[in-house]
Amino acid sequence: MSDRDPSQEGELRLGHWEGAVHARLERWEAESFGRRLWAKDHTVWSEEEVPELTDRLGWLKLPESMRTQAEDLTRFGQSVRADGIRDVVVLGMGGSSLAPEVFAHTYSSGSGSGYPALSVLDSTHPEAVRALISRLDPIRTLFVVSSKSGTTTEMLSFFHTFWQWCGEALASAAETGRRFVAITDPGTPLEALARERGFRAVFNAQEDVGGRYSALTPFGLVPAALIGADVRELLSRGSAMAEDCTAPAASNPGLRLGAALGELALAGRDKVTFFASSRIESFPDWIEQLVAESTGKVGRGIVPVVGERPASADAYGKDRVFVGLFLGDDPALESRLVALESAGHPTARFRLNDPADLGREMFRWEMATAAAGAVLGVNPFDQPDVQLAKELAKRAMQERSSGSPAGPSDEIQVSAAGLGGAIQGWLADAGAGTYLGLHAYIPSTPSTTETLREIQGKLRDRTRFATTLGFGPRFLHSTGQLHKGGPDTGRFLQIVDEPYPDLPVPETDYTYAELVRAQADGDRKALEQRGRKVIRVNLGSDRKNGLAKLREALRA
């Protein structure tokens, strides 16, 4: 076993739930759970041998196996910097975009190091796409087109847009091709497209690693290398944690956390609420997808709560567990957790000494999530309810193109007199353990996010329910599985607007406004088919004013 840094062991302060976690770990040790997991024995999750339990466990060996590629990735990043590239944009969703976003926010890219700045496009709202175009220089931008399947609608729409944009500014198709890189599984349509159009590089990811477990594959490491992150050190820290996770259950950091998450969820503490030091505040977004999509199915699951504004201990219900993620000293975060413990809430603390410790913590949470799935009796590697929303969105697109009205007839205009009553009806009869989800199919600008966070806080303070906020379609690839397949305790407020001007998607017959509305339609219909309580509010064409009216309705 590796020499452990005591500051990175993690602290679980579970109160009277400690006994159940200890019993689970003893049972796992008696059953050789850890050894069987490392041996990829599907029976730790299910007696039935299903594909995801046998062909999605490559993440276990990633920190070690990827080290052979670290030098090549580093050289690639250096070559892009030498070419004068100043911006790298990841065009992708979910597992293809969340780890790059964490690395972008945590590492100091584009700030005097000579490496480019990294951003992610994961919104199909036309305003978000236009805003990105307005600030980029095609001569100094590299686009990373990222999709495991190579068929993701959002990724292909983004690609067509920026391929045309670069082509109009650059001298030749060859020059345009050098502004693009692909990351995908071997043999996908994206790989074929990249080779046909002369992309600068194509990186193949491991087929036996699912998207949400892919942070330490090329999906995460290529963008990290492009901004000058030390890929070798990220993998080294991940490898150290992987070795620690071969220990007996009681001293195994991944299994200890997984047992705690699972047992707390069984006891009704299934709302895992994250607070993080400012430099790693995007890390919980990555954990959110991992936990939500892995555990939220067959009516069970763990609800990650990310970005909810802090409050006094009495603002929270008895369904919470709080996790603090520290980078360096953070007295304010420590004080917050101490106050929550004093009020009887279970807490956990994980401390990073520097950004490279993300490699360590990513592996810890992957192991813990897989183990928590065993406690809950779910397959942590499939996503059986995700496809439904995609199919319904596709149908909505087809209906719109044929002139049929695809949207629901009971959409509420934000200026309608009945808005307050509709919100009261949405909240009526909600019992303990409910969580409220805001689904915003609008751009995540700083001002929009600030207002929605305020609305989120007001809902939490009014109801004492856990509240979540997701921007569509991004969250469909992150928490959508949980909303539809997890516990039937969620109520959802969908927020849309009327985008103007619109933006056509080149090489297709649709626009971004049509796409984002179809995705909202598909999501809502999928939720309703699963029996979830959901209302939609349309902000109209004046989004700022519409959000102000929604905020006032909640205040009233």
Side-chain angles (χ1 to χ4, degrees):
M1 190 179 303
S2 64
D3 294 330
R4 298 188 184 183
D5 180 347
S7 70
Q8 297 179 341
E9 281 295 281
E11 299 176 57
L12 303 179
R13 302 183 184 181
L14 306 179
H16 66 261
W17 295 277
E18 184 68 51
V21 174
H22 179 71
R24 173 69 62 175
L25 292 169
E26 285 191 331
R27 188 184 322 160
W28 278 349
E29 190 62 29
E31 297 171 349
S32 300
F33 178 89
R35 178 189 59 76
R36 291 163 55 211
L37 191 158
W38 276 101
K40 303 180 181 180
D41 179 355
H42 66 89
T43 63
V44 302
W45 296 285
S46 172
E47 292 297 325
E48 183 181 0
E49 186 174 351
V50 296
E52 292 87 356
L53 292 180
T54 56
D55 63 10
R56 285 293 183 270
L57 292 169
W59 58 272
L60 286 164
K61 299 292 186 181
L62 273 180
E64 196 60 36
S65 64
M66 280 299 300
R67 290 168 87 169
T68 61
Q69 300 184 40
E71 195 65 41
D72 289 341
L73 295 178
T74 299
R75 281 197 296 268
F76 182 71
Q78 292 168 344
S79 72
V80 169
R81 177 181 63 169
D83 280 357
I85 296 296
R86 290 292 172 261
D87 284 283
V88 171
V89 181
V90 173
L91 308 177
M93 305 294 293
S96 300
S97 65
L98 289 167
E101 189 172 73
V102 174
F103 295 137
H105 288 176
T106 307
Y107 284 87
S108 299
S109 62
S111 57
S113 66
Y115 283 94
L118 175 64
S119 55
V120 171
L121 178 61
D122 54 10
S123 171
T124 54
H125 195 286
E127 183 178 316
V129 180
R130 286 198 310 272
L132 182 61
I133 290 173
S134 70
R135 70 172 183 80
L136 296 176
D137 176 356
I139 296 175
R140 294 182 175 270
T141 302
L142 181 74
F143 294 95
V144 180
V145 189
S146 190
S147 168
K148 182 173 177 63
S149 69
T151 60
T152 313
T153 299
E154 297 91 341
M155 172 275 299
L156 288 170
S157 300
F158 300 151
F159 163 71
H160 291 313
T161 297
F162 288 98
W163 180 267
Q164 181 187 76
W165 181 69
C166 287
E168 291 171 350
L170 299 171
S172 66
E175 279 296 305
T176 300
R178 283 189 59 78
R179 298 299 184 274
F180 288 82
V181 170
I183 309 174
T184 188
D185 280 6
T188 67
L190 174 56
E191 180 178 19
L193 176 70
R195 300 200 186 283
E196 173 191 330
R197 301 212 187 185
F199 279 24
R200 178 175 184 143
V202 176
F203 294 91
N204 285 137
Q206 293 85 335
E207 295 178 278
D208 61 351
V209 179
R212 57 188 177 274
Y213 288 81
S214 67
L216 299 181
T217 72
F219 285 111
L221 296 181
V222 170
L226 287 168
I227 59 173
D230 190 336
V231 171
R232 287 164 294 194
E233 192 59 27
L234 279 166
L235 291 167
S236 177
R237 307 285 178 91
S239 184
M241 176 56 76
E243 187 175 353
D244 288 348
C245 286
T246 63
S251 57
N252 184 310
L255 296 189
R256 286 176 58 238
L257 175 58
L261 293 172
E263 290 296 337
L264 286 165
L266 291 179
R269 295 268 178 172
D270 61 346
K271 314 301 189 304
V272 183
T273 305
F274 291 89
F275 300 120
S277 299
S278 59
R279 191 173 173 187
I280 55 171
E281 63 184 1
S282 63
F283 185 34
D285 292 322
W286 178 84
I287 300 175
E288 179 184 47
Q289 184 203 19
L290 178 69
V291 172
E293 199 166 54
S294 297
T295 68
K297 54 203 73 171
V298 297
R300 305 166 201 157
I302 297 168
V303 180
V305 181
V306 174
E308 191 184 55
R309 289 179 171 177
S312 60
D314 60 3
Y316 301 106
K318 295 181 179 181
D319 54 353
R320 303 268 197 158
V321 53
F322 294 91
V323 175
L325 301 168
F326 293 75
L327 181 59
D329 293 330
D330 194 334
L333 176 52
E334 177 62 27
S335 296
R336 190 180 309 152
L337 292 172
V338 168
L340 292 164
E341 286 166 10
S342 298
H345 294 290
T347 66
R349 293 164 174 78
F350 303 97
R351 303 181 189 277
L352 289 71
N353 290 329
D354 57 52
D357 274 340
L358 284 169
R360 183 180 183 90
E361 292 306 314
M362 284 172 163
F363 191 90
R364 184 205 303 265
W365 280 91
E366 288 170 350
M367 176 64 75
T369 301
V375 178
L376 296 176
V378 301
N379 174 355
F381 308 114
D382 67 353
Q383 45 281 330
D385 299 286
V386 168
Q387 190 60 33
L388 175 62
K390 293 181 181 179
E391 291 172 354
L392 292 173
K394 182 178 180 180
R395 188 182 307 167
M397 287 284 284
Q398 293 169 342
E399 291 172 353
R400 288 183 183 279
S401 66
S402 66
S404 302
S409 59
D410 58 345
E411 178 175 281
I412 305 164
Q413 298 298 318
V414 75
S415 57
L419 176 60
I423 292 173
Q424 289 180 355
W426 175 62
L427 294 172
D429 302 322
T434 296
Y435 73 97
L436 306 177
L438 299 177
H439 293 174
Y441 284 86
I442 57 179
S444 57
T445 65
S447 62
T448 295
T449 303
E450 175 69 17
T451 303
L452 287 172
R453 288 295 181 203
E454 183 181 346
I455 290 172
Q456 179 186 16
K458 289 182 183 300
L459 282 170
R460 187 268 320 280
D461 295 342
R462 175 177 171 178
T463 64
R464 296 184 76 228
F465 295 150
T467 57
T468 65
L469 168 62
F471 285 92
R474 166 191 169 114
F475 75 84
L476 292 177
H477 300 259
S478 180
T479 55
Q481 168 61 44
L482 170 75
H483 299 154
K484 300 167 186 74
D488 186 14
T489 53
R491 299 191 176 199
F492 305 102
L493 172 60
Q494 190 184 87
I495 302 168
V496 299
D497 67 357
E498 299 291 344
Y500 184 83
D502 200 354
L503 184 67
V505 179
E507 303 184 49
T508 76
D509 60 356
Y510 58 86
T511 70
Y512 278 105
E514 290 170 342
L515 175 57
V516 73
R517 179 52 71 95
Q519 290 172 315
D521 289 347
D523 183 33
R524 176 176 176 173
K525 290 176 181 176
L527 289 168
E528 290 175 337
Q529 284 194 21
R530 293 290 187 264
R532 305 313 194 233
K533 193 167 186 178
V534 53
I535 59 171
R536 173 190 282 179
V537 175
N538 190 326
L539 304 177
S541 57
D542 186 348
R543 186 171 60 251
K544 182 178 180 180
N545 184 52
L547 283 171
K549 289 180 178 178
L550 178 58
R551 180 175 55 199
E552 287 305 310
L554 287 165
R555 183 176 294 162

